[in-house]
Amino acid sequence: RAPYVVNGKKYVPMSVEKAENYRERGIASWYGYETRNKPGGHMTANGEAFDPNGLNAAHKYLPLPTHVKVTNFDNGRSILLRVNDRGPFVEGRIIDLSAGAAKRLGFYEKGTATVVVETIPVEG
């Protein structure tokens, strides 16, 4: 939950308590092999190997890891994902999905989609 800086901007992740009630509608994008091929692109923010075909996501503020349900507003498809990375750092986007998740939600070819993101409880 430590604050971090990207491109000169400071981000402060939300508390676990606040994340329990998180729900937001906005623009999702996806990331894949172009990210994995960058220096340091093989690892997620919480130290796991990044799998472009996996079912995971990046979020600027949710605690790592957090499980979310992402619903594509345009076609109604939903998927459960694990947030294990930070991003997207593009203005106006609320979540970055792995390429595999974007394919399942039906917006891989388009590049972005309007989605609803909501945290889900996971019993351990």
Side-chain angles (χ1 to χ4, degrees):
R1 290 193 20 213
Y4 62 99
V5 177
V6 174
N7 298 326
K9 183 175 179 182
K10 182 178 179 180
Y11 296 89
V12 179
M14 65 181 73
S15 68
V16 171
E17 294 78 21
K18 185 175 180 181
E20 287 176 359
N21 297 312
Y22 173 81
R23 186 178 195 282
E24 186 173 8
R25 178 179 166 181
I27 302 298
S29 51
W30 63 266
Y31 64 132
Y33 287 98
E34 73 291 339
T35 298
R36 185 177 174 143
N37 293 334
K38 290 181 182 177
H42 286 279
M43 303 303 283
T44 63
N46 71 345
E48 298 173 358
F50 173 58
D51 178 5
N53 296 313
L55 299 178
N56 45 48
H59 195 279
K60 293 182 285 274
Y61 302 108
L62 287 171
L64 301 180
T66 296
H67 290 83
V68 295
K69 177 181 176 184
V70 180
T71 303
N72 183 331
F73 194 76
D74 296 326
N75 64 18
R77 290 186 195 173
S78 294
I79 192 169
L80 302 181
L81 301 171
R82 188 166 178 264
V83 176
N84 65 351
D85 208 356
R86 291 291 178 217
F89 301 107
V90 174
E91 189 68 32
R93 297 185 187 171
I94 64 168
I95 194 164
D96 227 355
L97 308 184
S98 61
K103 288 175 184 176
R104 290 206 182 172
L105 283 176
F107 74 91
Y108 178 82
E109 296 295 328
K110 184 179 172 190
T112 61
T114 300
V115 298
V116 175
V117 179
E118 52 195 316
T119 54
I120 56 169
V122 175
E123 302 207 10

